[in-house]
Amino acid sequence: MKRTSPLFVFVFLSSLVLGLILACQPPSPPPIAIGLIVPVSGEFQNTEGQTTVQGATLALEQINQTGIDLNGRPTPLKLIIEDDQDSPNVAVDAARKLIAQEQVVAITGLPLSRTAIPVSNFTETVPIPTLSTTSTHPATTADKQYIFRVGLVDDFQGRIIARFAYEDLNATRAALLYDVANTARRARRRRRSAVRRGARSPGPAARRGRRGRRRPRRHRPG
């Protein structure tokens, strides 16, 4: 009778044990879906859309090198990109799709205030965490618990710019440059108003150091 090789028995038993171990392990957790709404097409596809996609993709690659620790197990992230076409209605529809069909756990992107505001109004009611990358309009996050922003609001930027110019640069006159073809007129008015308020109220430090100094003249555009 031919004897079975000990090496064959060892390989067979090792394979059997390894198979049992793998079978007993729970399946790998599915990726965590994150929605990204950006103007991939339209006027701002290069300045806001593609740059946001590139930044999010780079961050995703770095995070997925180790994964997110979910119940002690590394879990990858999955980025689902939707083109809002620089349209508020399209942006809201994209948010609905991401939540209902893709089952994302959060939404980011929305670099433009005109799309970030309507989307945030909708996602706040779901609710689902939403982060705008560069929206500066106060209404994006005002009175909302699940909406966040990276950039500072227009009013705050205007006050800080005016205070820095008055206190540090000793400037008494200011000019505001903007593209007349740009449709964000309300944002320009908010910044201009905030700069004027900041110039009129430069703060305690400036008032103490400039008593008796002529106040900066207000220049109204013609």
Side-chain angles (χ1 to χ4, degrees):
M1 181 177 179
K2 186 176 181 180
R3 297 179 57 186
T4 303
S5 171
L7 179 60
F8 173 79
V9 175
F10 174 77
V11 172
F12 174 77
L13 293 177
S14 299
S15 302
L16 181 61
V17 172
L18 180 61
L20 291 174
I21 293 175
L22 294 177
C24 293
Q25 288 184 346
S28 300
I32 301 174
I34 305 293
L36 181 69
I37 302 177
V38 288
V40 179
S41 61
E43 179 183 359
F44 296 96
Q45 59 178 315
N46 294 324
T47 57
E48 302 291 347
Q50 296 299 333
T51 54
T52 304
V53 171
Q54 292 170 0
T57 302
L58 177 61
L60 194 75
E61 293 175 353
Q62 295 177 346
I63 293 174
N64 283 342
Q65 290 179 359
T66 57
I68 299 295
D69 187 353
L70 185 63
N71 297 326
R73 302 185 61 189
T75 305
L77 296 181
K78 178 175 65 173
L79 191 65
I80 303 176
I81 303 172
E82 287 290 333
D83 180 13
D84 63 21
Q85 303 174 26
D86 193 16
S87 167
N89 293 333
V90 175
V92 174
D93 290 340
R96 294 181 186 275
K97 176 184 176 182
L98 288 171
I99 296 171
Q101 299 182 20
E102 304 295 345
Q103 298 182 347
V104 299
V105 299
I107 292 176
T108 186
L110 302 167
L112 303 176
S113 295
R114 57 174 167 266
T115 53
I117 294 173
V119 170
S120 67
N121 291 338
F122 166 68
T123 55
E124 176 72 11
T125 63
V126 175
I128 186 171
T130 303
L131 172 67
S132 172
T133 54
T134 56
S135 171
T136 57
H137 197 295
T140 300
T141 54
D143 301 322
K144 299 183 176 77
Q145 296 182 350
Y146 297 91
I147 314 301
F148 308 91
R149 70 168 77 246
V150 177
L152 301 174
V153 296
D154 293 323
D155 295 352
F156 181 80
Q157 293 185 51
R159 291 195 301 270
I160 295 302
I161 291 172
R163 187 165 298 177
F164 172 75
Y166 189 85
E167 295 181 358
D168 294 75
L169 302 181
N170 298 321
T172 58
R173 302 182 65 183
L176 185 64
L177 305 179
Y178 55 86
D179 182 3
V180 295
N182 194 317
T183 57
R185 297 179 181 177
R186 292 184 180 179
R188 294 198 301 269
R189 287 198 295 267
R190 288 196 307 274
R191 292 192 183 97
R192 183 167 54 201
S193 176
V195 168
R196 288 172 175 170
R197 290 197 303 271
R200 291 199 301 269
S201 303
R207 289 194 294 268
R208 287 195 301 268
R210 292 176 172 80
R211 290 180 180 176
R213 181 174 178 174
R214 187 178 63 178
R215 298 174 64 86
R217 291 186 300 173
R218 296 172 57 188
H219 173 69
R220 296 183 180 275

